[in-house]
Amino acid sequence: MKTVMFDLPEDKRQWPEWLERQIVGKRLGQLVAELEAFEDTETPATLESVCGDKLPLVLQHGLKRLSIQEIGALLRHPKLLLELQQQTFAACSS
């Protein structure tokens, strides 16, 4: 099995597009499991605390609305990626 997190681009400007593909793709569960080894358990986070008032824009227009630091926070709190996936699919079906 190929490790998904090693596909993360070195160029952080490419992170939003890459992460969007993971969120709508078949390997998000694997990515979350891999990132959990590096999870920031010291600082609790919610999707709202990471995205703030940008969350509706993210759901409508994608992760490019977030800063690199905010995307990094999603990667440090990988379970939020699953929540983001759920909210994205719910927004698309509305």
Side-chain angles (χ1 to χ4, degrees):
M1 180 181 292
K2 185 177 177 191
T3 303
V4 180
M5 65 184 248
F6 290 143
D7 290 339
L8 182 68
E10 287 185 36
D11 184 350
K12 292 180 181 181
R13 294 173 296 178
Q14 295 175 357
W15 284 8
E17 186 177 323
W18 180 85
L19 197 51
E20 286 172 358
R21 286 194 307 270
Q22 305 315 307
I23 288 171
V24 298
K26 297 179 181 181
R27 303 187 311 165
L28 183 62
Q30 181 184 344
L31 175 62
V32 168
E34 292 169 6
L35 290 172
E36 284 180 325
F38 306 99
E39 185 172 5
D40 178 3
T41 57
E42 297 291 317
T43 312
T46 64
L47 199 51
E48 290 76 16
S49 70
V50 171
C51 298
D53 59 353
K54 297 178 189 174
L55 183 57
L57 292 172
V58 169
L59 294 174
Q60 188 173 20
H61 301 288
L63 292 172
K64 291 179 179 126
R65 300 293 180 165
L66 297 179
S67 68
I68 296 301
Q69 292 79 15
E70 291 164 329
I71 291 174
L74 290 174
L75 295 171
R76 287 188 306 278
H77 299 279
K79 289 183 182 108
L80 296 180
L81 296 172
L82 295 173
E83 185 179 338
L84 182 58
Q85 180 188 54
Q86 183 180 34
Q87 288 195 28
T88 300
F89 288 158
C92 288
S93 66
S94 303

